[in-house]
PDB file of all heavy atoms in Angstrom:
ATOM      1  N   LEU A 246      97.978  43.147 -35.259  1.00  0.00           N
ATOM      2  CA  LEU A 246      97.180  43.615 -34.120  1.00  0.00           C
ATOM      3  C   LEU A 246      98.082  44.059 -32.977  1.00  0.00           C
ATOM      4  O   LEU A 246      97.883  45.123 -32.393  1.00  0.00           O
ATOM      5  CB  LEU A 246      96.242  42.505 -33.625  1.00  0.00           C
ATOM      6  CG  LEU A 246      95.006  42.210 -34.460  1.00  0.00           C
ATOM      7  CD1 LEU A 246      94.329  40.949 -33.958  1.00  0.00           C
ATOM      8  CD2 LEU A 246      94.047  43.383 -34.405  1.00  0.00           C
ATOM      9  N   MET A 247      99.077  43.256 -32.671  1.00  0.00           N
ATOM     10  CA  MET A 247      99.992  43.596 -31.587  1.00  0.00           C
ATOM     11  C   MET A 247     100.808  44.836 -31.953  1.00  0.00           C
ATOM     12  O   MET A 247     101.157  45.630 -31.086  1.00  0.00           O
ATOM     13  CB  MET A 247     100.886  42.408 -31.261  1.00  0.00           C
ATOM     14  CG  MET A 247     100.105  41.277 -30.608  1.00  0.00           C
ATOM     15  SD  MET A 247     101.052  39.775 -30.328  1.00  0.00           S
ATOM     16  CE  MET A 247     102.460  40.364 -29.460  1.00  0.00           C
ATOM     17  N   GLY A 248     101.069  45.027 -33.244  1.00  0.00           N
ATOM     18  CA  GLY A 248     101.825  46.176 -33.712  1.00  0.00           C
ATOM     19  C   GLY A 248     101.104  47.503 -33.543  1.00  0.00           C
ATOM     20  O   GLY A 248     101.724  48.566 -33.586  1.00  0.00           O
ATOM     21  N   LEU A 249      99.782  47.452 -33.343  1.00  0.00           N
ATOM     22  CA  LEU A 249      99.033  48.690 -33.107  1.00  0.00           C
ATOM     23  C   LEU A 249      99.342  49.283 -31.737  1.00  0.00           C
ATOM     24  O   LEU A 249      99.062  50.447 -31.479  1.00  0.00           O
ATOM     25  CB  LEU A 249      97.519  48.428 -33.213  1.00  0.00           C
ATOM     26  CG  LEU A 249      96.959  48.212 -34.601  1.00  0.00           C
ATOM     27  CD1 LEU A 249      95.464  47.873 -34.511  1.00  0.00           C
ATOM     28  CD2 LEU A 249      97.153  49.435 -35.482  1.00  0.00           C
ATOM     29  N   ARG A 250      99.876  48.453 -30.837  1.00  0.00           N
ATOM     30  CA  ARG A 250     100.237  48.885 -29.475  1.00  0.00           C
ATOM     31  C   ARG A 250      99.053  49.540 -28.764  1.00  0.00           C
ATOM     32  O   ARG A 250      99.149  50.651 -28.249  1.00  0.00           O
ATOM     33  CB  ARG A 250     101.434  49.797 -29.494  1.00  0.00           C
ATOM     34  CG  ARG A 250     102.651  49.096 -30.024  1.00  0.00           C
ATOM     35  CD  ARG A 250     103.857  49.957 -29.970  1.00  0.00           C
ATOM     36  NE  ARG A 250     104.987  49.147 -30.438  1.00  0.00           N
ATOM     37  CZ  ARG A 250     106.233  49.482 -30.277  1.00  0.00           C
ATOM     38  NH1 ARG A 250     106.542  50.598 -29.661  1.00  0.00           N
ATOM     39  NH2 ARG A 250     107.191  48.707 -30.720  1.00  0.00           N
ATOM     40  N   VAL A 251      97.957  48.810 -28.745  1.00  0.00           N
ATOM     41  CA  VAL A 251      96.742  49.316 -28.100  1.00  0.00           C
ATOM     42  C   VAL A 251      96.856  49.097 -26.599  1.00  0.00           C
ATOM     43  O   VAL A 251      97.078  47.986 -26.138  1.00  0.00           O
ATOM     44  CB  VAL A 251      95.489  48.600 -28.653  1.00  0.00           C
ATOM     45  CG1 VAL A 251      94.242  49.112 -27.966  1.00  0.00           C
ATOM     46  CG2 VAL A 251      95.397  48.798 -30.167  1.00  0.00           C
ATOM     47  N   LYS A 252      96.705  50.193 -25.857  1.00  0.00           N
ATOM     48  CA  LYS A 252      96.822  50.147 -24.400  1.00  0.00           C
ATOM     49  C   LYS A 252      95.466  50.418 -23.756  1.00  0.00           C
ATOM     50  O   LYS A 252      94.531  50.859 -24.418  1.00  0.00           O
ATOM     51  CB  LYS A 252      97.824  51.199 -23.935  1.00  0.00           C
ATOM     52  CG  LYS A 252      99.206  50.970 -24.460  1.00  0.00           C
ATOM     53  CD  LYS A 252     100.150  52.040 -23.965  1.00  0.00           C
ATOM     54  CE  LYS A 252     101.541  51.741 -24.464  1.00  0.00           C
ATOM     55  NZ  LYS A 252     102.096  52.748 -25.313  1.00  0.00           N
ATOM     56  N   CYS A 253      95.392  50.178 -22.473  1.00  0.00           N
ATOM     57  CA  CYS A 253      94.182  50.460 -21.713  1.00  0.00           C
ATOM     58  C   CYS A 253      93.820  51.934 -21.875  1.00  0.00           C
ATOM     59  O   CYS A 253      94.672  52.811 -21.766  1.00  0.00           O
ATOM     60  CB  CYS A 253      94.403  50.125 -20.244  1.00  0.00           C
ATOM     61  SG  CYS A 253      92.943  50.344 -19.214  1.00  0.00           S
ATOM     62  N   GLY A 254      92.556  52.187 -22.178  1.00  0.00           N
ATOM     63  CA  GLY A 254      92.086  53.555 -22.363  1.00  0.00           C
ATOM     64  C   GLY A 254      92.092  54.020 -23.808  1.00  0.00           C
ATOM     65  O   GLY A 254      91.488  55.029 -24.143  1.00  0.00           O
ATOM     66  N   ASP A 255      92.808  53.293 -24.684  1.00  0.00           N
ATOM     67  CA  ASP A 255      92.827  53.641 -26.105  1.00  0.00           C
ATOM     68  C   ASP A 255      91.499  53.276 -26.750  1.00  0.00           C
ATOM     69  O   ASP A 255      90.864  52.281 -26.370  1.00  0.00           O
ATOM     70  CB  ASP A 255      93.939  52.895 -26.851  1.00  0.00           C
ATOM     71  CG  ASP A 255      95.333  53.406 -26.514  1.00  0.00           C
ATOM     72  OD1 ASP A 255      95.438  54.482 -25.896  1.00  0.00           O
ATOM     73  OD2 ASP A 255      96.310  52.716 -26.879  1.00  0.00           O
ATOM     74  N   THR A 256      91.080  54.057 -27.728  1.00  0.00           N
ATOM     75  CA  THR A 256      89.865  53.769 -28.473  1.00  0.00           C
ATOM     76  C   THR A 256      90.238  53.253 -29.852  1.00  0.00           C
ATOM     77  O   THR A 256      91.048  53.863 -30.556  1.00  0.00           O
ATOM     78  CB  THR A 256      88.987  55.026 -28.602  1.00  0.00           C
ATOM     79  OG1 THR A 256      88.617  55.454 -27.285  1.00  0.00           O
ATOM     80  CG2 THR A 256      87.724  54.741 -29.405  1.00  0.00           C
ATOM     81  N   ILE A 257      89.668  52.094 -30.211  1.00  0.00           N
ATOM     82  CA  ILE A 257      89.896  51.517 -31.535  1.00  0.00           C
ATOM     83  C   ILE A 257      88.614  51.656 -32.348  1.00  0.00           C
ATOM     84  O   ILE A 257      87.527  51.775 -31.797  1.00  0.00           O
ATOM     85  CB  ILE A 257      90.306  50.028 -31.454  1.00  0.00           C
ATOM     86  CG1 ILE A 257      89.244  49.186 -30.730  1.00  0.00           C
ATOM     87  CG2 ILE A 257      91.671  49.880 -30.785  1.00  0.00           C
ATOM     88  CD1 ILE A 257      89.476  47.691 -30.785  1.00  0.00           C
ATOM     89  N   THR A 258      88.768  51.658 -33.661  1.00  0.00           N
ATOM     90  CA  THR A 258      87.632  51.678 -34.569  1.00  0.00           C
ATOM     91  C   THR A 258      87.590  50.332 -35.278  1.00  0.00           C
ATOM     92  O   THR A 258      88.579  49.912 -35.887  1.00  0.00           O
ATOM     93  CB  THR A 258      87.766  52.811 -35.605  1.00  0.00           C
ATOM     94  OG1 THR A 258      87.879  54.055 -34.901  1.00  0.00           O
ATOM     95  CG2 THR A 258      86.565  52.850 -36.530  1.00  0.00           C
ATOM     96  N   VAL A 259      86.460  49.656 -35.181  1.00  0.00           N
ATOM     97  CA  VAL A 259      86.274  48.345 -35.792  1.00  0.00           C
ATOM     98  C   VAL A 259      85.353  48.516 -36.996  1.00  0.00           C
ATOM     99  O   VAL A 259      84.281  49.102 -36.877  1.00  0.00           O
ATOM    100  CB  VAL A 259      85.658  47.346 -34.783  1.00  0.00           C
ATOM    101  CG1 VAL A 259      85.474  45.977 -35.416  1.00  0.00           C
ATOM    102  CG2 VAL A 259      86.510  47.264 -33.524  1.00  0.00           C
ATOM    103  N   THR A 260      85.786  47.998 -38.142  1.00  0.00           N
ATOM    104  CA  THR A 260      84.986  48.059 -39.356  1.00  0.00           C
ATOM    105  C   THR A 260      84.677  46.641 -39.812  1.00  0.00           C
ATOM    106  O   THR A 260      85.572  45.798 -39.884  1.00  0.00           O
ATOM    107  CB  THR A 260      85.730  48.822 -40.474  1.00  0.00           C
ATOM    108  OG1 THR A 260      86.055  50.124 -39.995  1.00  0.00           O
ATOM    109  CG2 THR A 260      84.874  48.929 -41.720  1.00  0.00           C
ATOM    110  N   VAL A 261      83.414  46.397 -40.100  1.00  0.00           N
ATOM    111  CA  VAL A 261      82.938  45.092 -40.547  1.00  0.00           C
ATOM    112  C   VAL A 261      82.350  45.285 -41.934  1.00  0.00           C
ATOM    113  O   VAL A 261      81.475  46.121 -42.128  1.00  0.00           O
ATOM    114  CB  VAL A 261      81.843  44.557 -39.581  1.00  0.00           C
ATOM    115  CG1 VAL A 261      81.330  43.215 -40.042  1.00  0.00           C
ATOM    116  CG2 VAL A 261      82.360  44.494 -38.156  1.00  0.00           C
ATOM    117  N   SER A 262      82.827  44.506 -42.907  1.00  0.00           N
ATOM    118  CA  SER A 262      82.272  44.632 -44.256  1.00  0.00           C
ATOM    119  C   SER A 262      82.127  43.264 -44.916  1.00  0.00           C
ATOM    120  O   SER A 262      82.938  42.368 -44.708  1.00  0.00           O
ATOM    121  CB  SER A 262      83.135  45.551 -45.125  1.00  0.00           C
ATOM    122  OG  SER A 262      84.442  45.051 -45.226  1.00  0.00           O
ATOM    123  N   GLY A 263      81.070  43.137 -45.697  1.00  0.00           N
ATOM    124  CA  GLY A 263      80.798  41.897 -46.415  1.00  0.00           C
ATOM    125  C   GLY A 263      80.184  40.833 -45.521  1.00  0.00           C
ATOM    126  O   GLY A 263      80.161  40.951 -44.304  1.00  0.00           O
ATOM    127  N   GLY A 264      79.646  39.804 -46.161  1.00  0.00           N
ATOM    128  CA  GLY A 264      79.038  38.703 -45.412  1.00  0.00           C
ATOM    129  C   GLY A 264      77.851  39.182 -44.604  1.00  0.00           C
ATOM    130  O   GLY A 264      77.150  40.118 -44.978  1.00  0.00           O
ATOM    131  N   ASN A 265      77.623  38.551 -43.473  1.00  0.00           N
ATOM    132  CA  ASN A 265      76.529  38.934 -42.586  1.00  0.00           C
ATOM    133  C   ASN A 265      77.070  39.981 -41.612  1.00  0.00           C
ATOM    134  O   ASN A 265      77.520  39.660 -40.512  1.00  0.00           O
ATOM    135  CB  ASN A 265      75.983  37.712 -41.851  1.00  0.00           C
ATOM    136  CG  ASN A 265      74.747  38.031 -41.044  1.00  0.00           C
ATOM    137  OD1 ASN A 265      74.449  39.197 -40.771  1.00  0.00           O
ATOM    138  ND2 ASN A 265      74.029  37.005 -40.659  1.00  0.00           N
ATOM    139  N   GLU A 266      77.032  41.241 -42.029  1.00  0.00           N
ATOM    140  CA  GLU A 266      77.648  42.318 -41.256  1.00  0.00           C
ATOM    141  C   GLU A 266      77.043  42.474 -39.867  1.00  0.00           C
ATOM    142  O   GLU A 266      77.760  42.704 -38.898  1.00  0.00           O
ATOM    143  CB  GLU A 266      77.550  43.636 -42.017  1.00  0.00           C
ATOM    144  CG  GLU A 266      78.403  43.662 -43.259  1.00  0.00           C
ATOM    145  CD  GLU A 266      78.238  44.928 -44.076  1.00  0.00           C
ATOM    146  OE1 GLU A 266      77.338  45.751 -43.768  1.00  0.00           O
ATOM    147  OE2 GLU A 266      79.010  45.110 -45.032  1.00  0.00           O
ATOM    148  N   GLU A 267      75.736  42.353 -39.769  1.00  0.00           N
ATOM    149  CA  GLU A 267      75.093  42.553 -38.466  1.00  0.00           C
ATOM    150  C   GLU A 267      75.515  41.493 -37.464  1.00  0.00           C
ATOM    151  O   GLU A 267      75.834  41.795 -36.315  1.00  0.00           O
ATOM    152  CB  GLU A 267      73.580  42.614 -38.627  1.00  0.00           C
ATOM    153  CG  GLU A 267      73.158  43.884 -39.355  1.00  0.00           C
ATOM    154  CD  GLU A 267      71.660  44.001 -39.534  1.00  0.00           C
ATOM    155  OE1 GLU A 267      70.911  43.254 -38.889  1.00  0.00           O
ATOM    156  OE2 GLU A 267      71.260  44.877 -40.315  1.00  0.00           O
ATOM    157  N   ALA A 268      75.541  40.229 -37.883  1.00  0.00           N
ATOM    158  CA  ALA A 268      75.943  39.146 -36.988  1.00  0.00           C
ATOM    159  C   ALA A 268      77.424  39.268 -36.629  1.00  0.00           C
ATOM    160  O   ALA A 268      77.815  39.052 -35.479  1.00  0.00           O
ATOM    161  CB  ALA A 268      75.654  37.790 -37.628  1.00  0.00           C
ATOM    162  N   SER A 269      78.244  39.617 -37.614  1.00  0.00           N
ATOM    163  CA  SER A 269      79.678  39.765 -37.372  1.00  0.00           C
ATOM    164  C   SER A 269      79.960  40.935 -36.433  1.00  0.00           C
ATOM    165  O   SER A 269      80.806  40.840 -35.537  1.00  0.00           O
ATOM    166  CB  SER A 269      80.424  39.965 -38.692  1.00  0.00           C
ATOM    167  OG  SER A 269      80.312  38.818 -39.501  1.00  0.00           O
ATOM    168  N   GLU A 270      79.234  42.047 -36.621  1.00  0.00           N
ATOM    169  CA  GLU A 270      79.397  43.201 -35.739  1.00  0.00           C
ATOM    170  C   GLU A 270      79.040  42.822 -34.306  1.00  0.00           C
ATOM    171  O   GLU A 270      79.763  43.149 -33.367  1.00  0.00           O
ATOM    172  CB  GLU A 270      78.519  44.361 -36.209  1.00  0.00           C
ATOM    173  CG  GLU A 270      78.608  45.578 -35.312  1.00  0.00           C
ATOM    174  CD  GLU A 270      77.640  46.686 -35.700  1.00  0.00           C
ATOM    175  OE1 GLU A 270      76.515  46.385 -36.147  1.00  0.00           O
ATOM    176  OE2 GLU A 270      78.003  47.853 -35.539  1.00  0.00           O
ATOM    177  N   LYS A 271      77.946  42.102 -34.133  1.00  0.00           N
ATOM    178  CA  LYS A 271      77.524  41.673 -32.795  1.00  0.00           C
ATOM    179  C   LYS A 271      78.576  40.752 -32.170  1.00  0.00           C
ATOM    180  O   LYS A 271      78.924  40.901 -30.994  1.00  0.00           O
ATOM    181  CB  LYS A 271      76.165  40.983 -32.841  1.00  0.00           C
ATOM    182  CG  LYS A 271      75.688  40.558 -31.449  1.00  0.00           C
ATOM    183  CD  LYS A 271      74.343  39.914 -31.480  1.00  0.00           C
ATOM    184  CE  LYS A 271      73.807  39.505 -30.136  1.00  0.00           C
ATOM    185  NZ  LYS A 271      74.702  39.300 -29.044  1.00  0.00           N
ATOM    186  N   SER A 272      79.101  39.826 -32.960  1.00  0.00           N
ATOM    187  CA  SER A 272      80.131  38.914 -32.449  1.00  0.00           C
ATOM    188  C   SER A 272      81.370  39.668 -31.994  1.00  0.00           C
ATOM    189  O   SER A 272      81.942  39.370 -30.940  1.00  0.00           O
ATOM    190  CB  SER A 272      80.520  37.893 -33.521  1.00  0.00           C
ATOM    191  OG  SER A 272      79.458  37.034 -33.797  1.00  0.00           O
ATOM    192  N   MET A 273      81.791  40.654 -32.775  1.00  0.00           N
ATOM    193  CA  MET A 273      82.974  41.432 -32.401  1.00  0.00           C
ATOM    194  C   MET A 273      82.707  42.270 -31.153  1.00  0.00           C
ATOM    195  O   MET A 273      83.552  42.338 -30.259  1.00  0.00           O
ATOM    196  CB  MET A 273      83.417  42.330 -33.562  1.00  0.00           C
ATOM    197  CG  MET A 273      84.031  41.574 -34.725  1.00  0.00           C
ATOM    198  SD  MET A 273      85.411  40.498 -34.257  1.00  0.00           S
ATOM    199  CE  MET A 273      86.567  41.672 -33.615  1.00  0.00           C
ATOM    200  N   LYS A 274      81.540  42.892 -31.072  1.00  0.00           N
ATOM    201  CA  LYS A 274      81.199  43.676 -29.874  1.00  0.00           C
ATOM    202  C   LYS A 274      81.173  42.786 -28.642  1.00  0.00           C
ATOM    203  O   LYS A 274      81.717  43.143 -27.599  1.00  0.00           O
ATOM    204  CB  LYS A 274      79.847  44.368 -30.053  1.00  0.00           C
ATOM    205  CG  LYS A 274      79.906  45.592 -30.940  1.00  0.00           C
ATOM    206  CD  LYS A 274      78.541  46.257 -31.041  1.00  0.00           C
ATOM    207  CE  LYS A 274      78.598  47.514 -31.876  1.00  0.00           C
ATOM    208  NZ  LYS A 274      77.287  48.153 -32.034  1.00  0.00           N
ATOM    209  N   ASP A 275      80.547  41.615 -28.777  1.00  0.00           N
ATOM    210  CA  ASP A 275      80.480  40.679 -27.650  1.00  0.00           C
ATOM    211  C   ASP A 275      81.879  40.246 -27.218  1.00  0.00           C
ATOM    212  O   ASP A 275      82.173  40.187 -26.018  1.00  0.00           O
ATOM    213  CB  ASP A 275      79.640  39.455 -28.016  1.00  0.00           C
ATOM    214  CG  ASP A 275      78.159  39.776 -28.160  1.00  0.00           C
ATOM    215  OD1 ASP A 275      77.722  40.875 -27.747  1.00  0.00           O
ATOM    216  OD2 ASP A 275      77.427  38.920 -28.710  1.00  0.00           O
ATOM    217  N   PHE A 276      82.740  39.946 -28.200  1.00  0.00           N
ATOM    218  CA  PHE A 276      84.115  39.525 -27.874  1.00  0.00           C
ATOM    219  C   PHE A 276      84.858  40.640 -27.124  1.00  0.00           C
ATOM    220  O   PHE A 276      85.485  40.402 -26.094  1.00  0.00           O
ATOM    221  CB  PHE A 276      84.889  39.161 -29.132  1.00  0.00           C
ATOM    222  CG  PHE A 276      86.346  38.913 -28.843  1.00  0.00           C
ATOM    223  CD1 PHE A 276      86.767  37.677 -28.381  1.00  0.00           C
ATOM    224  CD2 PHE A 276      87.280  39.938 -28.963  1.00  0.00           C
ATOM    225  CE1 PHE A 276      88.100  37.465 -28.053  1.00  0.00           C
ATOM    226  CE2 PHE A 276      88.604  39.734 -28.637  1.00  0.00           C
ATOM    227  CZ  PHE A 276      89.018  38.490 -28.180  1.00  0.00           C
ATOM    228  N   LEU A 277      84.780  41.856 -27.640  1.00  0.00           N
ATOM    229  CA  LEU A 277      85.482  42.975 -27.023  1.00  0.00           C
ATOM    230  C   LEU A 277      84.975  43.242 -25.612  1.00  0.00           C
ATOM    231  O   LEU A 277      85.771  43.454 -24.692  1.00  0.00           O
ATOM    232  CB  LEU A 277      85.358  44.228 -27.891  1.00  0.00           C
ATOM    233  CG  LEU A 277      86.093  44.170 -29.235  1.00  0.00           C
ATOM    234  CD1 LEU A 277      85.678  45.329 -30.121  1.00  0.00           C
ATOM    235  CD2 LEU A 277      87.593  44.142 -29.033  1.00  0.00           C
ATOM    236  N   GLU A 278      83.662  43.217 -25.429  1.00  0.00           N
ATOM    237  CA  GLU A 278      83.086  43.447 -24.088  1.00  0.00           C
ATOM    238  C   GLU A 278      83.556  42.395 -23.105  1.00  0.00           C
ATOM    239  O   GLU A 278      83.864  42.697 -21.957  1.00  0.00           O
ATOM    240  CB  GLU A 278      81.554  43.407 -24.165  1.00  0.00           C
ATOM    241  CG  GLU A 278      80.951  44.528 -24.992  1.00  0.00           C
ATOM    242  CD  GLU A 278      80.706  45.793 -24.185  1.00  0.00           C
ATOM    243  OE1 GLU A 278      80.502  45.690 -22.968  1.00  0.00           O
ATOM    244  OE2 GLU A 278      80.725  46.862 -24.803  1.00  0.00           O
ATOM    245  N   ALA A 279      83.621  41.136 -23.545  1.00  0.00           N
ATOM    246  CA  ALA A 279      83.969  40.036 -22.654  1.00  0.00           C
ATOM    247  C   ALA A 279      85.456  39.937 -22.366  1.00  0.00           C
ATOM    248  O   ALA A 279      85.862  39.458 -21.308  1.00  0.00           O
ATOM    249  CB  ALA A 279      83.465  38.720 -23.254  1.00  0.00           C
TER     250      ALA A 279
END
Side-chain angles (χ1 to χ4, degrees):
L246 285 171
M247 290 175 52
L249 286 176
R250 297 183 177 194
V251 179
K252 298 180 177 119
C253 183
D255 288 347
T256 299
I257 58 172
T258 302
V259 180
T260 303
V261 179
S262 59
N265 187 343
E266 292 176 352
E267 291 180 14
S269 296
E270 178 185 35
K271 181 179 181 338
S272 293
M273 289 306 298
K274 283 182 178 178
D275 290 347
F276 172 83
L277 292 169
E278 295 273 333

